[in-house]
Amino acid sequence: MQEQILRKFFLGFIQIHILHHAKEEPFYGAWMIEELKEHGYDMSPGTLYPILHSMSEKNLLKKENRTVQGKIRKYYSITELGETILTEARQKAYELFKEIK
Ligand SMILES: [Zn+2]
C-alpha cells in the first residue's frame, strides 16, 4: 500500500526528471535507468519504457533512431510541448520544495 502510494508520487517526479534531461540532450533508455539509479530510483526497463512510450504518445518526447556501434538505439528528446510543461512543472516543484524542505 505504502509503496503503491509512493510509486504514484514518484511517477510525476520521474517524468519531470526525464523532461529535464531530454531538454539538456537526447538520451536513450539504458542511460536514463542509470541516471535514475544515481538519484535513488531503482527502475527496470519494463517500468521505464512504458513511461517513455506514454510521454511520446502525449507529445512530450520525440523518438529518433540512431545507429551506435552497429546497434540501433532509440533516442528521446524534448518537444515544444514538453518544454512548456517542464517550465510549469519546474515552477510548481520549486514552490513546493521551498515549502516542505
Ligand atoms: Zn538527473
Side-chain angles (χ1 to χ4, degrees):
M1 186 62 189
Q2 197 174 332
E3 201 162 310
Q4 266 182 339
I5 294 169
L6 282 173
R7 205 183 294 242
K8 231 178 197 177
F9 280 13
F10 294 163
L11 193 58
F13 299 163
I14 284 165
Q15 290 187 73
I16 296 172
H17 200 150
I18 289 171
L19 285 178
H20 165 74
H21 282 291
K23 191 183 174 185
E24 288 195 325
E25 57 185 330
F27 66 84
Y28 56 94
W31 182 87
M32 184 53 71
I33 287 173
E34 284 305 308
E35 169 65 22
L36 290 170
K37 205 175 276 173
E38 276 181 34
H39 291 282
Y41 299 102
D42 202 1
M43 269 212 149
S44 68
T47 310
L48 180 68
Y49 283 99
I51 295 172
L52 294 177
H53 183 76
S54 105
M55 289 176 77
S56 304
E57 296 248 289
K58 289 176 189 139
N59 194 30
L60 300 172
L61 296 175
K62 51 179 183 265
K63 255 188 287 193
E64 174 201 350
N65 285 332
R66 285 193 198 172
T67 309
V68 182
Q69 290 164 347
K71 274 199 253 174
I72 296 174
R73 256 186 198 158
K74 281 192 179 74
Y75 275 79
Y76 296 86
S77 53
I78 199 163
T79 61
E80 216 172 291
L81 177 63
E83 289 208 32
T84 306
I85 299 279
L86 176 62
T87 302
E88 190 155 331
R90 185 193 285 129
Q91 282 168 0
K92 292 273 198 298
Y94 182 66
E95 194 52 43
L96 174 65
F97 297 151
K98 263 193 322 192
E99 171 114 351
I100 66 174
K101 70 178 186 217

